[in-house]
Amino acid sequence: FLENHSTASDWMQSSTHHCDWRPTRCDTSSRVDYMDMKDAGVVGTLPTEFGILNHLIHLTFENNNLGGIIPSELGRLTLLTTLNLSKNSLSGNVPTELGHLTKLTLLDLDNNQLSGQIPNEIGALSLMVYCSLFENILWGTIPKSFGSLTALTRLRLDNNIMDGPIPTEFGRLSSQLQELNLHYNDLTGTVPTELGNLVNLRILEMQENRFSGPIPTEIGNMLSLEAFEIYYNGLTGTIPSELGNLVNLRILAMEENRFSGPIPTEIGNMANLERFQIYHNGLTGTIPSEVGLMSALTTLDFATNQLTGSIPVLPSPLTTLDDCYLAQTYEGVTEQNCFTDSLGNPNTDNAGICVVVNNCI
């Protein structure tokens, strides 16, 4: 396998001991325990013989040209703490045998062509801190066993074709989880109230799925949240006033849903918010004057709702606002906001900064 590598002659000459090969390291008994082949230009398939390297603690083949399947024999490497096979062209299923790697802290299989369901056995890897399976062709439901991965800080399952609901068991991941990426799948059901337990979560990305129902008020408990993206779903109900508790939020993207009712005044508490997008919903009432308190805004988009009343004074200085859309048609949809004043507001009278078009003034 390695002899076919284009630069193998540099570190696999016949006179070179295997512990001196550049990508490897050995323990005190001259047994290979470390192999890092990141960006090495390796072509071919992973040999089943890797299963005999039972002293390996680190195995990385990130960003090569590997194809074929992940050998089930890797499940014999029970001392392994790092397995990184990302950015290749691996196909087939994720082997259930990986569930034997109980010392694993990092599992990175993203950017491949893996298919099938995620095996429940992955939920046995209780020491795992980082799990990344995004950009594959994985389908089926998210295993409930993932709720046992209480050491996780980052879980990336985005850009697959998984369906079904978010397991309520995710609420058990409250102590460490900082990033949860579920976007660009085909997930359904409601947003579990249990997600409100994830008080250390910084990034929650659920956009471009088929979620329905309201946003639970418990989301307001996630005080560490910096990005909440849930656009392009079928969510309904009102925007919870509890979102105003998220004072560290920088991105709030809720566009292309079916929200109704008013914009809560509590949004003015989000002093760090940089991007606020709720266009193409069914929101009514006026734009709260508290929007003017959000001085960090660079993008504000309320277009294609049913908002009325006067346009409030927007954040000053206006130069921080790169994109502002308050009323416009969208893809031929006739719904529009209906404001009673024009651009006489001194903080909106700036062509190219704040767009108020197709409005019922």
Side-chain angles (χ1 to χ4, degrees), residues 16 33 57 75 138 162 171 187 214 233 270 287 315 324 333 342-343:
T16 304
D33 67 357
I57 60 173
L138 298 169
M162 290 186 291
L187 299 171
N233 279 287
M270 301 179 188
I287 298 177
C324 174
V333 177
S342 62
L343 295 182

Side-chain angles (χ1 to χ4, degrees), residues 5 58 81 106 136 143 181 188 205 213 230 243 245 248 273 280 298 313 315 322 324 327 345 348-349:
H5 180 255
H58 181 105
T81 62
L106 183 147
N136 281 290
N181 306 95
T188 57
E205 295 188 336
I230 199 163
L243 291 186
N245 299 337
N248 292 308
L273 198 65
H280 207 188
T298 59
V313 175
D322 296 330
C324 174
N345 183 323
T348 59
D349 195 6

Side-chain angles (χ1 to χ4, degrees), residues 224-269:
S224 299
L225 206 60
E226 298 176 11
F228 182 32
E229 301 190 59
I230 199 163
Y231 58 85
Y232 282 93
N233 279 287
L235 296 166
T236 57
T238 59
I239 298 174
S241 60
E242 288 80 2
L243 291 186
N245 299 337
L246 308 179
V247 295
N248 292 308
L249 206 63
R250 295 182 297 103
I251 298 172
L252 179 58
M254 306 171 65
E255 66 267 25
E256 295 282 349
N257 280 287
R258 300 174 187 171
F259 294 120
S260 58
I263 301 170
T265 59
E266 288 81 0
I267 63 169
N269 299 335

Side-chain angles (χ1 to χ4, degrees), residues 182-194:
L182 304 175
H183 51 288
Y184 305 138
N185 276 288
D186 199 28
L187 299 171
T188 57
T190 58
V191 179
T193 60
E194 289 81 0

Side-chain angles (χ1 to χ4, degrees), residues 75-180:
R76 300 174 186 170
L77 307 179
T78 55
L79 298 180
L80 207 60
T81 62
T82 296
L83 178 59
N84 188 343
L85 306 177
S86 63
K87 299 179 179 67
N88 282 284
S89 298
L90 297 168
S91 58
N93 296 337
V94 177
T96 59
E97 289 81 1
L98 296 187
H100 299 156
L101 307 179
T102 55
K103 295 185 183 297
L104 206 64
T105 60
L106 183 147
L107 176 62
D108 194 344
L109 305 178
D110 64 53
N111 282 277
N112 280 288
Q113 299 169 25
L114 300 171
S115 58
Q117 300 189 57
I118 301 172
N120 287 322
E121 288 80 358
I122 299 298
L125 306 180
S126 60
L127 299 180
M128 189 156 56
V129 173
Y130 180 93
C131 180
S132 183
L133 303 174
F134 76 91
E135 285 282 0
N136 281 290
I137 320 170
L138 298 169
W139 50 267
T141 58
I142 301 172
K144 294 180 179 180
S145 62
F146 271 32
S148 300
L149 302 175
T150 54
L152 271 181
T153 62
R154 190 175 184 188
L155 178 58
R156 294 206 59 177
L157 303 177
D158 48 294
N159 286 273
N160 283 287
I161 52 174
M162 290 186 291
D163 56 20
I166 299 174
T168 58
E169 288 79 2
F170 272 21
R172 301 174 189 166
L173 307 178
S174 59
S175 60
Q176 302 295 332
L177 194 64
Q178 297 181 24
E179 185 169 342
L180 178 58

Side-chain angles (χ1 to χ4, degrees), residues 200-214:
N200 293 311
L201 200 69
R202 294 186 301 103
I203 297 173
L204 177 57
E205 295 188 336
M206 303 170 60
Q207 66 267 29
E208 303 218 21
N209 281 285
R210 292 194 294 128
F211 295 120
S212 58

